[in-house]
């Protein structure tokens, strides 16, 4: 057994669980803040009830995201100690800033939001939700800055094999960071919008919570119709930036072997890495050159321009990229057709549309995971591009110990996340409750009042 491969599988497994929760909570925090500001402005109670409903789901998702994120940081010390030694001077502070500037902000004002209903003024609830939303975006800022530096490192110098920061602004705002941040934040908002759309459509199809369902469907379709086409633009710009700084990753995404010829866009193919050809190919001639160079005769580097040991695994990158693009096009069609139905006054009454989109809730999560695979596997064999190879970043650990902890992670994650998802699904099944919290006549200590609020926050029907 190869300890490097096992450590990569372990990190890939844990980060795949982790990333789906921030992807959901970043957008959900913004949605809750929007609902509360509309409630404060209009006084319509339904918006407050919807905000309370989604806040409970946010709290569960936020908790699971924190737990799974802590595990990742420990793996830097257990399985990837050489990574910590070589680039820790740069990556460590960036992750530390995320905790200092974002996590405490999110946790503090989430507490106000969860336990403050009818205990703080409505404007303070709305402001707290907005601060939580800003905190989630700040968290994404630092994490993506650190990850982008690993892809396109700048602002450092290497002495005796160790990277030292020289220019923090160049490190933070490295060449791929703005494109990656815009692409990821938009993906997070789209992920949440599709969950909200699916839940609203589910209520309308089941003829339950219909007023709430109509509000959710309209708000989600409005968001998707704007953001999904915008994501196509961000993705295109991100791809052009990747071609400039990581051309071999793009070659793997396109399964483009020979850089002396224009690149075809393969709708489907099976990349044969041993023989450096594509099998069973269905392609659009010169399609990749047109997209990447905006010229059907444009050339870009092929995989054979570097030795095999400097190429990423082509098959997972190629298919992950295509799944992501396919889902993106589905999102655009869903949003634009929904907007067309809304314009015709038939959005919430077109039953076949609602019956389909109620099953679209996983689309954003799958797209995020595929995008992450494209980015991280496509970076191989480098863990920090041009500085440190993945094979040289491993700790002196045995394969048996990595395999043992991998099995434990699978078991524990299976139990914890099954329970969490079961609870979220239970909350969704019960739906928003048709009542607001009555002012409490509880007279007691602050701690006992907080206890009432805590019970109220975690009760599915509360």
């Amino acid at each position: 057994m190869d300890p490097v491969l096992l450590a990569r599988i372990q990190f890939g497994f844990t980060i795949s669980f982790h990333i789906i929760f921030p992807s959901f909570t970043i957008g959900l925090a913004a949605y809750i803040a929007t609902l509360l500001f509309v409630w404060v402005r209009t006084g319509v109670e339904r918006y407050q009830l919807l905000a309370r409903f989604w806040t409970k789901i946010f709290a569960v998702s936020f908790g699971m995201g924190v737990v799974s994120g802590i595990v990742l940081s420990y793996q830097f010390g257990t399985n990837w100690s050489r990574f910590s030694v070589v680039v820790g001077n740069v990556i460590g502070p960036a992750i530390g800033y995320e905790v200092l500037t974002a996590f405490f902000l999110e946790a503090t004002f989430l507490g106000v939001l969860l336990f403050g209903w009818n205990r703080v003024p409505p404007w303070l609830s709305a402001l707290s939700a907005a601060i939580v939303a800003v905190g989630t975006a700040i968290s994404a800022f630092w994490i993506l800055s650190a990850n982008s530096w690993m892809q396109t490192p700048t602002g450092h110098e290497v002495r005796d094999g160790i990277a030292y920061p020289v220019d923090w602004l160049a490190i933070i705002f490295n060449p791929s960071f703005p494109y990656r941040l815009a692409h990821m934040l938009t993906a997070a908002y789209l992920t949440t919008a599709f969950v909200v759309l699916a839940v609203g459509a589910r209520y309308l199809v089941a003829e339950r919570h219909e007023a709430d369902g109509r509000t959710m469907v309209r708000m989600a379709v409005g968001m998707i119709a704007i953001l999904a086409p915008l994501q196509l633009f961000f993705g295109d710009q991100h791809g052009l930036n990747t071609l400039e700084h990581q051309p071999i990753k793009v070659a793997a995404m396109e399964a483009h072997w020979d850089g002396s010829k224009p690149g075809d866009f393969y709708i489907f193919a099976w990349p044969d890495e041993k023989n450096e050809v594509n099998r069973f190919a269905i392609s659009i001639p010169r399609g990749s050159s047109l997209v990447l160079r905006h010229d059907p005769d444009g050339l870009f580097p092929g995989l054979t321009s570097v030795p095999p040991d400097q190429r990423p695994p082509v098959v997972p990158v190629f298919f992950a990229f295509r799944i992501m693009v396919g889902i993106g096009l589905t999102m655009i069609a869903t949003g634009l057709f929904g907007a067309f139905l809304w314009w015709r006054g038939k959005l919430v009454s077109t039953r076949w549309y609602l019956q389909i989109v109620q099953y679209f809730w996983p689309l954003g999560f799958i797209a995020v995971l595929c995008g992450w695979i494209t980015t991280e596997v496509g970076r191989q064999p480098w863990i920090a591009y041009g500085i440190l190879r993945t094979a040289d970043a491993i700790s002196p650990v045995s394969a048996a110990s990595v395999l043992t902890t991998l099995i434990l992670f699978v078991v524990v994650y299976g139990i914890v996340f099954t329970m969490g998802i079961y609870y979220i699904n239970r909350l969704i099944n019960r739906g928003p409750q048709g009542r607001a919290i009555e002012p409490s006549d509880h007279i007691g200590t602050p701690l006992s009042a907080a206890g009432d609020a805590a019970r109220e926050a975690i009760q599915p029907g509360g």
Side-chain angles (χ1 to χ4, degrees), residues 83 86-87 91 146-153 156 163 246 376 379-390 393:
F83 170 81
V86 175
V87 300
I91 297 297
N147 182 269
S148 297
W149 183 85
M150 292 160 62
Q151 310 275 345
T152 54
H156 69 283
Q246 296 175 293
E376 303 309 312
R379 184 182 54 196
Q380 300 303 318
W382 300 100
I383 196 167
Y385 214 77
I387 298 175
L388 180 66
R389 284 176 172 263
T390 304

Side-chain angles (χ1 to χ4, degrees), residues 19 27 49 54 58 75 83 127 157 162-163 206 240 246 250 262 266-268 328 377 386 405 426 441:
I19 195 172
L49 293 171
W54 285 107
F58 177 90
Q75 286 182 59
F83 170 81
L127 181 62
E157 63 179 15
I162 308 295
L240 296 178
Q246 296 175 293
V250 173
Y266 292 98
I267 299 170
F268 177 83
V377 178
T405 51
R426 188 179 171 196
D441 58 357

